[in-house]
């Protein structure tokens, strides 16, 4: 305010104290107007809800009741054959339009992209001002309209490019289903389903329709994405299976009864949300800042217009032009568009690394991740296992191999070729153990493998029951358990995956009782499987450690195996793996253990979910990487879910990022891209908001001092282009590995306010000094103000960019060259209403710019 008083004296007579008091009265009027505008805007936006996050979770607003799930009576249709529809029946239903059509967008529609980039509050404001300035002034002062159009065009083009990338890549990961038609099973996309089609359900499949089971064999379904309940639910023939659930064990055939928009998951989704971008913290912060700017623009423009109208010699014309110049300068019109553009470009860049980001705004979350939780099998290691050895239970470590008993060979062959519940472990046995042909080995009962149980079982026609599973689970009550488990530990320490085969004389009990192991079990063999570490894992882990991102391995395998494989991958090589069975039930102790250890074995899917929740509750931003159905709950709960392209449909459906080529090495690029986005958006925000601050300060000072405004709209357009527009694009796409930090708004304001105040002070002094030197030449004073402001803007840009490479220096050097070219060429100089200053004015400009530069450097160090 002291500066404003001194500035005002230049234009006032000797009785300046009385006039200063009148300026204070104007300031109070402005403040009153600002408070009224704030109150009005707050009231009108009081019901404004924060943008919902587009997550796979179907969370409903508290005020809206979810649709009731359908009952079997409501949707029952005539039962079709278990062999499915015939071709003619399929064609008939397609002719009636009974197809699985879902109006789900893989990305925003073209209309939505155009609407989001064009119809904004600032575009409406600037567009209106553009029309007004065309009507009342020359085309030169309407240049900001071209900048506005260019910003919109860039934003639309980049987001359309990202949309095409998303749409094209999602075809590669679109869900596939197994449709039974004419008795044969065909793989097809989900949109090929017609009503009454029969789907074959297998572990890992996500159900895309509502259906009734025509057949079920030990079928277990997880409905957590619909209900939040993590426990698998057993399903039998005649029961309803809802869309959105996924198969965790067993198999079955499902008749389609509701699909498309009529399916339960789709109706629940529509009731819960509409399409939006993922919640973005930086976008939310920018929107808050823009709201504050809106509150300030209206009273400031009104104050400036009133004072310019009352005291400007040209009256209403100059008042309107000056007010428009101030408003245009205060609006950071490119900031929001630039943010969306940078995110869109990031999506396209990541696609080049084989990483499909499901939503634009999800890119930002990549920068904030500080803990990555990863499964072991199929993630750190390559998918599948290799059979290394089958050891009869009677052997001890170090003894030469003995011939495998014939019954063990046949039993393992039955497990290996059990098509109702195939696992990666059982598939590894197929080459060595053929399917048994004797009738005594016909399977009469079974329990499929489950990540929760960690074992599977078969009962044969000869009356015997055999169980294959985790040694610590199935060997607990057998003879020689301690010796066998010690041998298993030795193998696990070498990174081997070990399964135990045990037998029981009794048949399996009914399904409800079969979840508990029989009491009398006899060890038969140990199956030793090998895994291969992915080639790119170790280097990726080193990158994470260097970037301060902690890695935790959470696996269902033996803890010693997890420790050995993690060591080979370079993860916590000196740390002991914690056995998940010993995790405490108490939430506080559980959270403490999860924070303390980096390796976990024998973890159930429910425990993975609790671990992610505990880490998030501790203030961490958590990413979860997985590929199997046992990872789905944790992927869904994480701040950022990552699935492998070869993983299950369910894991891909809930992830925000899909590694299309299973390339773990893409993750450093993913993290780096996220950090580049958020760091560069912050740097460009510094530029845009500094401009807003100095134009706001200039407008307020001029309004209170009742002096002519020091700029025409074309002047501020030129300043913005040289110091904000072109440099903003340069900063937005530059390399930047700065780690994301909280406090975006406070940092931006702490920089923008002092930098803007210093720039405005230097500009006003230059303007005032020139008017004092050449009292009757307002054009020359405006030229001096423009040149001074450009110099301050370039100094601020240099502080933010800190050029290192040759191209960066050349770019920064080109910016003042543009200004010098305009000043040197009379047509351009006349177009922008600039004049060549004399030596005294040049001296004032250079001295004030030098002083401002020194103060900016000192302020930047304090900042």
């Amino acid at each position: 305010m002291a500066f404003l008083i001194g500035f005002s004296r230049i234009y006032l007579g000797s009785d300046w104290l009385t006039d200063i008091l009148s300026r204070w009265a104007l300031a109070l009027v402005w403040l009153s107007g600002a408070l009224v505008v704030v109150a009005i805007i707050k009231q009108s936006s009081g019901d404004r809800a924060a943008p919902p996050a587009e997550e796979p979770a179907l969370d409903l607003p508290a005020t809206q009741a979810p649709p009731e799930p359908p009952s079997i009576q409501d949707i029952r249709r005539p039962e079709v054959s278990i062999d499915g529809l015939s071709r003619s029946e399929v064609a008939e239903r397609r002719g009636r339009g009974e197809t699985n059509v879902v109006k789900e967008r893989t990305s925003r529609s073209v209309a939505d992209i155009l609407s989001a980039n064009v119809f904004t509050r600032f575009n409406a404001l600037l567009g209106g001002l553009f029309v007004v300035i065309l009507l009342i002034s020359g085309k030169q002062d309407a240049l900001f309209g071209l900048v506005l159009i260019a910003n919109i065009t860039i934003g639309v083009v980049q987001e359309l490019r990202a949309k095409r990338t998303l749409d094209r890549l999602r075809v590669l990961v679109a869900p596939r289903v197994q449709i039974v038609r004419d008795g044969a099973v065909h793989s097809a996309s989900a949109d090929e389903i017609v009503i009454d089609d029969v789907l074959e359900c297998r572990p890992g499949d996500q159900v895309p329709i509502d259906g009734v089971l025509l057949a079920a064999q030990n079928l277990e379904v997880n409905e957590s994405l619909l209900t939040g309940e993590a426990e698998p639910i057993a399903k039998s023939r005649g029961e309803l299976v809802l869309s959105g659930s996924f198969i965790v064990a067993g198999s079955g055939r499902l008749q389609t009864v509701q699909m498309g928009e009529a399916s339960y998951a789709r109706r629940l989704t529509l009731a819960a949300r509409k399409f939006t971008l993922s919640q973005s913290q930086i976008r939310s912060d920018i929107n808050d800042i823009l709201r504050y700017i809106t509150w300030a623009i209206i009273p400031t423009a009104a104050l400036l217009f009133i004072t310019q109208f009352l005291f400007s010699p040209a009256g209403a014309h100059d008042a309107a032009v000056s007010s428009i110049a101030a408003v245009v300068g205060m609006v950071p019109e490119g900031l929001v568009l630039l943010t969306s553009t940078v995110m869109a470009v990031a999506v396209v860049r990541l696609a080049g690394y084989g990483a499909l980001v499901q939503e634009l705004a999800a890119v930002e979350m990549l920068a904030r991740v500080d803990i990555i939780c990863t499964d072991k099998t199929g993630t750190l290691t390559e998918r599948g296992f290799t059979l290394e050895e089958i050891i009869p239970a009677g052997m001890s470590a170090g003894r030469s191999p003995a011939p495998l008993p014939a019954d063990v060979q046949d039993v393992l062959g039955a497990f290996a070729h059990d098509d109702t519940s195939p696992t990666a472990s059982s598939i590894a046995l197929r080459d060595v153990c053929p399917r048994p042909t004797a009738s005594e080995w016909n399977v009469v009962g079974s329990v499929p493998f489950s990540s929760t149980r960690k074992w599977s079982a078969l009962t044969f026609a000869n009356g015997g029951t055999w169980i294959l599973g985790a040694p610590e689970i199935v060997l607990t009550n057998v003879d020689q358990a301690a010796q066998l488990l010690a041998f298993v530990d030795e193998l696990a320490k070498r990174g081997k995956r070990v399964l135990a085969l045990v037998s029981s004389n009794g048949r399996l009990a009914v399904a409800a009782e079969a979840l508990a192991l029989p009491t009398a079990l006899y060890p038969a063999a140990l199956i030793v499987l090998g895994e291969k570490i992915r080639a790119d894992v170790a280097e990726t882990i080193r990158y994470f450690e260097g970037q301060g991102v902690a890695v935790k391995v959470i696996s269902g395998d033996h803890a010693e195996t997890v420790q050995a494989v993690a060591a080979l991958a370079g993860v916590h090589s000196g740390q002991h793996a914690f056995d998940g069975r010993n995790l405490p039930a108490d939430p506080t102790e559980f959270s403490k253990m999860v924070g303390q250890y980096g390796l976990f074995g024998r973890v159930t899917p429910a425990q993975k979910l609790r671990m992610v929740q505990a880490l998030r509750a501790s203030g961490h931003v958590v990413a979860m990487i997985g590929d199997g159905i046992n990872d789905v709950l944790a992927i869904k709960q994480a701040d950022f879910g990552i699935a492998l392209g070869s993983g299950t449909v369910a894991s891909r459906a809930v992830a925000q990022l899909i590694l299309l080529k299973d390339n773990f090495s893409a993750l450093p690029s993913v993290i780096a891209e996220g950090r580049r986005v958020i760091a560069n958006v912050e740097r460009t925000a510094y530029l845009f908001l500094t401009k807003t601050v100095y134009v706001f300060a200039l407008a307020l000072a001029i309004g209170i001092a009742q002096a002519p405004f020091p700029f025409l709209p074309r002047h501020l357009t030129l300043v913005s282009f040289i110091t904000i527009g072109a440099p903003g694009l340069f900063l937005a796409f530059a390399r930047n590995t700065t780690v994301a930090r909280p406090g975006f708004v406070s940092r931006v304001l702490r920089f923008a306010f002092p930098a803007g105040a210093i720039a405005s002070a230097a500009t006003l002094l230059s303007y005032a000094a020139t008017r004092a030197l050449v009292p009757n030449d307002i054009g020359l004073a405006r030229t001096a103000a423009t040149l001074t402001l450009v110099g301050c803007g370039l100094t601020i840009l240099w502080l933010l960019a800190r050029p290192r490479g040759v191209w960066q220096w050349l770019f920064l050097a080109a910016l003042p060259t543009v200004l010098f070219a305009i000043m040197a060429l009379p047509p351009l100089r006349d177009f922008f209403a600039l004049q060549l200053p004399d030596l005294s004015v040049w001296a004032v400009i250079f001295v004030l710019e030098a002083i401002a530069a020194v103060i900016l450097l000192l302020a930047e160090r304090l900042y």
Side-chain angles (χ1 to χ4, degrees):
M1 189 55 69
F3 170 75
L4 292 179
I5 293 174
F7 176 72
S8 300
R9 291 187 64 181
I10 297 175
Y11 301 98
L12 304 176
S14 59
D15 192 13
W16 62 268
L17 183 59
T18 302
D19 289 328
I20 288 300
L21 294 176
S22 69
R23 276 37 168 198
W24 274 100
L26 280 173
L28 290 175
V29 170
W30 174 87
L31 181 60
S32 300
L35 292 175
V36 170
V37 173
V38 169
I40 293 173
I41 294 177
K42 278 189 173 181
Q43 184 174 2
S44 65
S45 62
D47 297 330
R48 184 182 60 86
E54 186 187 18
E55 299 177 359
L58 303 177
D59 301 322
L60 294 175
T63 57
Q64 186 173 3
E68 291 294 328
S71 66
I72 194 70
Q73 290 77 18
D74 295 336
I75 62 174
R76 184 177 292 280
R77 293 178 58 87
E79 187 174 300
V80 299
S81 167
I82 197 172
D83 292 329
L85 302 176
S86 65
R87 291 186 179 181
S88 60
E89 290 172 324
V90 171
E92 179 183 349
R93 285 162 173 77
R94 283 180 178 163
R96 295 199 298 262
E98 297 174 336
T99 56
N100 187 34
V101 177
V102 178
K103 298 176 183 177
E104 184 69 63
R105 291 166 288 187
T106 57
S107 58
R108 289 202 290 183
S109 67
V110 174
D112 284 342
I113 291 173
L114 291 173
S115 176
N117 284 275
V118 174
F119 300 111
T120 68
R121 79 178 78 161
F122 286 136
N123 285 353
L125 174 63
L126 295 178
L129 296 177
F130 176 69
V131 173
V132 172
I133 205 71
L134 282 177
L135 294 175
I136 68 172
S137 186
K139 296 180 181 179
Q140 298 94 326
D141 287 325
L143 286 177
F144 67 88
L146 300 179
V147 176
L148 179 64
I149 294 171
N151 282 335
I152 294 174
T153 302
I154 292 170
V156 170
V157 169
Q158 290 295 350
E159 196 162 348
L160 287 175
R161 184 184 177 195
K163 171 184 167 58
R164 287 196 299 270
T165 301
L166 284 171
D167 293 346
R168 184 180 71 253
L169 293 180
R170 285 189 180 178
V171 172
L172 302 177
V173 295
R176 306 286 294 179
V177 294
Q178 305 300 317
I179 304 179
V180 184
R181 290 175 182 164
D182 290 323
V185 180
H186 305 277
S187 177
S189 62
D191 58 6
E192 295 182 44
I193 301 171
V194 300
I195 198 73
D196 293 327
D197 251 332
V198 176
L199 307 185
E200 184 164 280
C201 302
R202 301 172 180 175
D205 290 346
Q206 187 170 37
V207 181
I209 49 87
D210 299 335
V212 176
L213 284 167
L214 302 177
Q217 185 171 4
N218 302 310
L219 188 68
E220 294 182 15
V221 175
N222 189 302
E223 297 180 345
S224 61
L225 300 186
L226 301 175
T227 66
E229 297 294 332
E231 291 301 319
I233 301 171
K235 296 283 186 177
S236 57
R237 188 184 188 281
E239 289 193 85
L240 183 65
V241 178
L242 297 176
S243 52
S245 53
F246 56 94
I247 311 301
V248 295
S251 62
R253 291 197 173 181
L254 191 66
Q255 177 186 349
T256 302
V257 293
Q258 284 191 159
M259 60 185 181
E261 299 295 327
S263 66
Y264 178 61
R266 182 59 182 166
R267 288 188 291 117
L268 189 60
T269 302
L270 291 176
R273 56 165 171 80
K274 62 181 180 180
F275 179 85
T276 59
L277 288 174
S278 290
Q279 187 172 2
S280 165
Q281 181 179 332
I282 197 168
R283 180 181 279 118
S284 177
D285 290 341
I286 289 174
N287 285 338
D288 287 339
I289 294 173
L290 296 182
R291 222 168 34 253
Y292 303 147
I293 292 172
T294 304
W295 299 345
I297 282 176
I298 298 175
T300 304
L303 171 66
L304 187 62
F305 178 81
I306 292 171
T307 57
Q308 296 292 294
F309 178 74
L310 293 177
F311 299 101
S312 174
H317 178 274
D318 277 7
V321 173
S322 297
S323 299
I324 289 173
V327 171
V328 170
M330 281 188 284
V331 174
E333 69 277 0
L335 183 55
V336 175
L337 285 175
L338 193 61
T339 301
S340 296
T341 301
V342 171
M343 290 182 177
V345 171
V347 169
V348 177
R349 282 183 174 179
L350 290 176
Y353 296 109
L356 170 59
V357 178
Q358 304 275 36
E359 309 152 7
L360 292 184
V363 175
E364 177 193 335
M365 189 58 67
L366 305 176
R368 305 186 186 279
V369 169
D370 61 354
I371 289 184
I372 291 181
C373 298
T374 177
D375 184 34
K376 177 185 71 70
T377 305
T379 305
L380 295 182
T381 63
E382 295 182 358
R383 292 185 62 82
F385 299 98
T386 56
L387 178 63
E388 295 192 355
E389 193 175 6
I390 301 175
I391 305 174
M395 290 179 55
S396 60
R399 293 182 54 181
S400 59
L404 197 64
D407 56 348
V408 171
Q409 183 89 16
D410 289 331
V411 168
L412 290 177
F415 275 104
H417 298 276
D418 178 20
D419 297 326
T420 63
S421 184
T423 64
S425 299
S426 63
I427 292 173
L429 295 168
R430 290 185 177 178
D431 292 338
V432 176
C433 303
R435 187 192 301 270
T437 57
S439 59
E440 63 178 314
W441 297 113
N442 290 340
V443 177
V444 296
S446 64
V447 173
F449 177 80
S450 163
S451 299
T452 302
R453 286 189 298 271
K454 302 191 183 302
W455 56 268
S456 59
L458 296 176
T459 296
F460 298 98
N462 60 14
T465 296
W466 295 76
I467 298 163
L468 183 67
E472 308 93 282
I473 307 297
V474 301
L475 293 178
T476 303
N477 297 321
V478 304
D479 294 338
Q480 301 177 335
Q483 180 181 351
L484 289 170
L485 289 175
F487 186 26
V488 169
D489 286 343
E490 292 181 16
L491 294 169
K493 288 177 181 178
R494 287 154 41 196
K496 308 301 180 185
R497 180 186 178 98
V498 184
L499 301 177
L501 179 68
V502 299
S503 64
S504 173
N505 293 328
R507 287 177 174 269
L508 286 175
V510 295
E513 299 175 1
L515 300 181
L517 288 169
T519 54
L521 295 173
Y522 306 97
L526 298 177
I527 295 87
V528 183
L529 302 171
E531 298 177 89
K532 184 179 180 181
I533 302 292
R534 291 187 182 274
D536 51 4
V537 164
E539 183 178 353
T540 303
I541 296 299
R542 287 195 297 271
Y543 168 84
F544 288 146
E545 291 179 348
Q547 294 296 312
V549 179
V551 179
K552 292 181 182 289
V553 181
I554 305 173
S555 174
D557 280 352
H558 192 290
E560 295 288 354
T561 302
V562 174
Q563 182 176 338
V565 171
L568 292 174
V571 185
H572 303 292
S573 56
Q575 190 181 100
H576 178 70
F578 193 89
D579 194 316
R581 294 171 299 172
N582 299 326
L583 283 169
D586 178 70
T588 302
E589 290 299 319
F590 183 91
S591 180
K592 181 179 178 181
M593 285 296 193
V594 172
Q596 180 179 351
Y597 285 86
L599 306 176
F600 296 89
R602 293 303 180 213
V603 177
T604 65
Q607 286 177 321
K608 284 188 180 182
L609 174 63
R610 287 187 63 198
M611 287 179 174
V612 171
Q613 290 173 330
L615 290 170
R616 293 185 64 192
S618 299
H620 294 288
V621 180
V622 183
M624 176 69 201
I625 310 174
D627 66 336
I629 54 178
N630 59 324
D631 303 315
V632 170
L633 299 180
I635 291 175
K636 173 179 173 288
Q637 184 63 36
D639 294 292
F640 195 79
I642 304 173
L644 301 185
S646 62
T648 61
V649 173
S651 64
R652 297 200 306 268
V654 300
Q656 291 167 294
L657 178 77
I658 301 175
L659 299 178
L660 297 174
K661 302 175 183 178
D662 292 356
N663 49 335
F664 209 71
S665 58
L667 288 178
S669 299
V670 169
I671 299 294
E673 191 67 23
R675 289 182 173 178
R676 186 190 64 81
V677 165
I678 196 169
N680 286 345
V681 166
E682 182 169 324
R683 287 202 302 179
T684 54
Y686 288 162
L687 281 181
F688 279 100
L689 296 178
T690 298
K691 183 193 78 165
T692 297
V693 169
Y694 64 61
V695 176
F696 170 77
L698 288 167
L700 186 58
I702 290 295
I704 293 175
Q706 300 173 6
F709 194 66
F711 300 104
L712 296 174
R714 70 191 81 171
H715 294 148
L716 288 178
T717 299
L718 178 62
V719 172
S720 294
F721 173 77
I722 294 177
T723 65
I724 307 294
L729 287 174
F730 167 75
L731 291 179
F733 300 110
R735 291 174 60 88
N736 197 325
T737 58
T738 304
V739 178
R741 299 171 293 161
F744 165 77
V745 174
S746 62
R747 282 197 305 277
V748 170
L749 295 181
R750 286 201 311 271
F751 181 92
F753 273 107
I758 294 166
S760 63
T763 302
L764 283 173
L765 286 173
S766 178
Y767 178 60
T770 304
R771 291 208 66 191
L773 291 172
V774 189
N776 298 321
D777 195 343
I778 185 69
L780 184 60
R782 283 174 169 166
T783 299
T786 302
L787 295 175
T788 303
L789 190 54
V790 169
C792 293
L794 291 175
T795 303
I796 293 170
L797 175 62
W798 184 84
L799 292 175
L800 293 174
R802 298 291 188 183
R804 296 177 182 176
V806 174
W807 289 108
Q808 292 176 333
W809 278 107
L810 289 176
F811 177 82
L812 291 182
L815 296 174
T817 304
V818 171
L819 180 62
F820 292 147
I822 291 173
M823 294 297 297
L825 299 175
L828 290 177
R829 191 168 64 241
D830 294 341
F831 180 85
F832 284 102
L834 298 173
Q835 301 179 22
L836 279 176
D838 57 25
L839 290 178
S840 61
V841 175
W842 276 119
V844 169
I845 294 171
F846 283 124
V847 168
L848 289 174
E849 283 187 358
I851 294 172
V854 172
I855 297 174
L856 283 169
L857 286 171
L858 294 175
E860 191 260 350
R861 291 185 179 181
L862 292 175
Y863 163 78

